[in-house]
Amino acid sequence: MGAALARAAQWTAAGSGTGTLEITPLNESLLNQIIKFAEDFSTRHPREAAFVFREPLQWKTQLGCSVFGEGYEINEATVQSEAKGKDGQPLLLLMASTLRVRSFDQLSSLLQIAMEKKLKEAQACLEANRDPIVKILGPEYGTVEGEDMSMLHLLDKVKKDDDPETELKMKIFLLLHQLDLQLLNSSLKHISEDIRLNPAAINNEVNLLKNFSGKGEDTVLESLEYTSDYTFSNGCRAPPWRQVHGEICYLVIKPHDTDPLYITCSTAGVFLNGVSNNKGFHGEYNFFKEPTYEKNYQRMEVVDAKVSGQSQNLYDFTEKNVCEKVKSSAARRRSIDKKKLEPSMKFLRFLLSCNNFDDVTSFPQQGREISCNHVQYWSSRTVILSYFYKTSGRFEDISESSSETEEDEEQPVRHQEGNTDLPSEYWGIQKLAKYLKGGNPTATVIALCSMRDFNLAQETCQLAIRDIGCLEVLINLLDTEEIKCQIGSLKILKEISQNTLIRHAIADLGGLQIMVKILDSPDKDLKCLAAETIANVARFKRARRTVRQHGGIKRLVGLLECISVGSTSLTPYQAKDTEIARCGALALWSCSKSIKNKEAIRKAGGIPLLARWLKCSHANILTPVVGTLQECASEPSYRLAIRTEGMIENLVKNLSSEHEELQMHCASAIFKCAEDKETRDLVRQHGGLQPLSVLLGNSENKQLLAAVTGAIWKCAMSGENVSKFREYKAIEALVGLLTDQPEGVLVNIVGALGECCQEPINRTTIRKCGGIPPLVKLLAGTDQALLVNVTKAVGACATEPENMMIIDRLDGVRLLWSLLKNPNPDVQASAAWAICPCIENAKDAGEMVRSFVGGLELIVNLLKSKNKEVLASVCAAITNIAKDEENLAVITDHGVVPLLSKLANTNNDKLRRHLAEAISHCCMWGSNRVTFGETKAIAPLVRYLKSNDPSVHRATAQALYQLSEDPNNCITMHENGVVKLLLAMVGSTDEILQEAAAGCIANIRRLALATEKAKYG
């Protein structure tokens, strides 16, 4: 157990103190296995369970005295077990929230008492006892690195000494060692996912294979060569614009017996390229030209993917370079802006020829003149970074963001520049520029103060600062020792960074790197301003990546540490700490739109700190904290943490806040977290359903309405919650919102109604409130997510005959049928499921179906789909269609029987059930039974009886009963062992299954008797 906790478990240390176990799926799995081991220990190993630990396991518990019952002595705030050790001390002692346990017997009983808190108790115990084996058996059994000789020493001791306690320790040690191996094995898969290929590993493998290559007969390969001899400083041979996609190098492998193979080696594995010799990078590669194999590259066949997951840019070209301080003169910046420079390939050759890329980016502050093939460049860091980030854009990490919005993908809008009709503010800022650039510190501070007097929220002023070169000066001022200059500069940058162009310019000039360093400053005002400016700039993915790569996430998480969390009255010192935390949370909110940044926040220990701040009552800090949490809640590890850290209660509480933005983010967090049933139950238990229902009345704020309806939708997936929503009149409110709403809101409203429709009383409520006509009207929409939800809602409503009459009158069934033509398989499946209750509850269903021109042919052709959900839903629809004899004849002519037979070889129980039902009903026409036998559908159906799903058994038995009417089918069934399987089902409590199984056996038996009679007379 010690080795697993040290090597496999994921620990974090947020600030000072010992590490804590992170709330991750891996850790939860390890904890659950340890809990099961401890709970079962007393019953499986009663003798060992009575062993008294060398030292007690001690930790801070959340359990109160009231949970302890029989077997314990309770005296006010102290609890002790009646069971005592040889020394007379109790084996369990609870004093002032400190719990001490001295045996597995008591540990097992405690976990059973803890019930739903057992996970938190196990976590607290292991955090306080990092190597529990030492406490249980003694220090000689502790976990050690390298070769562990404790087992051998123990065996020697057992041989020399007949002491029963030594033998008992030996058994306990072996049991704990076995648990350790089990934990390590279960975590091996998760750990292996974090291992990625790197240039050194690939180079070693290539060198090894080269030793087995050559012309001789005893070689495995004729040759193996890199496509390029050039190696970058990071060990990669791929060009920079492919390195950002995780590619390391390219190989040409010539086997003895086939054509050459072209291989791409990347951090995600080794891939065989699907392109021809005359395309892409095959043969001689041109490093200075964009490759032409982009489309072909997508069609790759995996050769050896050693790891999986997103590629991490271990060798990112810009990581070492962007951190250089960016300083350049205003004149050069002006010339770059006004004149769109296209850096020559010759200059790129110069860059690439440098052994260390930092040689190029480390020019003196004033720049230097370099010569490259008779072309002179007045170079600076600004020019180089401008080339990489603006002209080519090749260093953008396309896999960076998980929730990129238009703002995340913002592209700077180039405004027409000119000197005509410029306002006076523009010229005023231009006059201040010379004092800002050339003055002493005092003059600089005065110039900064004067610049702040301008309306910096005005775009003219913002662009004036950029155009006259003040932006570079402001960023350079951040790197000085003058606190006042730094504060003045940051105050201006904070204001003007609201502009998209300015944000990109700050990132291009390396301003983010300097701001990240300022986060370590002892000056609190400086830290606040730096964090707020980072929050503004980090709204596009390159900026977010820069913050992460330069250690910004860890520093920002550190800003959340504050002893004043939850205090109602704050001292000035505490108020300043709270303000620092607010600014840090704002920056984390901006950065959290990236998957990698979410992971970085978690690893830096951000989750427990965010949970602490969630308990405070100040809306100004709650908003960015909840905003960060709702952004991160798209990741399963965060949803688990939000649930287990008790954050749902606080999210629910803040739904009743006076601040609409805070309400919106709380509802959005619940929307994302309520994917899990445990979270939905917690929302109900903490009284969150009523405030959500009340917030439906605020229909003016569309963003808030979208979040609230989304939360209601997900919460309504639990039946208990639906009953509460009915009590709070939420269904009537949802129906009233079905018109004049944005599609994003409608998706959630209709989704919620679809879940509520699972209860008959709610279907009646929707009809009485006039909800069916707007629902049917939405079937004519184009939004795919909306169509999936509205078809589900209409289908659920159609299970009521009165509702079905309205749907039919509004031509709703025809609209549903037309959605079967939609290219989206989710829409197709949802429409087919909705058609089933429509056919079941329509007055003249057969005639209604035949009235749809080409409708039957369309639904039969959907049996050629590759999507399992589409196939299952279409089979269910065919089952209902086949109940009408004329329709059955039509779909038989369209070839339904061979298409159903082709689907028989499936392991999907949902598809099996509906396929068997469809086959059963299709047997009712003509020679379909014979055709099913001829198309090899019988043997796979017999195998369905081995499924664990009772509904599959029932449908299959009915199908086999119908098919057994044909003698040849009976022979096939008997050969495949159907009798033995059906005999077990004759005794089933399901009468339909019982009758179908008995009928099938009877048909087989009758055929056998007839055969014997014919044979022997």
Side-chain angles (χ1 to χ4, degrees), residues 595-615:
I595 290 176
K596 292 181 183 177
N597 284 356
K598 290 173 188 176
E599 181 69 9
I601 292 169
R602 183 181 65 78
K603 287 185 175 179
I607 294 176
L609 291 172
L610 290 168
R612 282 171 59 195
W613 279 110
L614 195 59
K615 295 174 183 176

Side-chain angles (χ1 to χ4, degrees), residues 79-135:
V79 178
Q80 64 178 25
S81 63
E82 294 176 354
K84 293 179 170 56
K86 293 179 182 177
D87 56 359
Q89 295 297 318
L91 297 179
L92 182 144
L93 179 63
L94 171 62
M95 292 181 65
S97 79
T98 300
L99 188 63
R100 296 179 180 88
V101 179
R102 299 178 62 205
S103 75
F104 279 111
D105 206 2
Q106 291 298 323
L107 200 59
S108 177
S109 301
L110 177 72
L111 289 171
Q112 291 170 14
I113 290 170
M115 297 175 70
E116 71 275 1
K117 290 184 179 179
K118 64 177 69 173
L119 194 68
K120 297 294 288 185
E121 290 300 309
Q123 181 181 348
C125 176
L126 294 174
E127 286 174 352
N129 305 276
R130 291 290 287 267
D131 198 352
I133 297 176
V134 172
K135 296 281 185 79

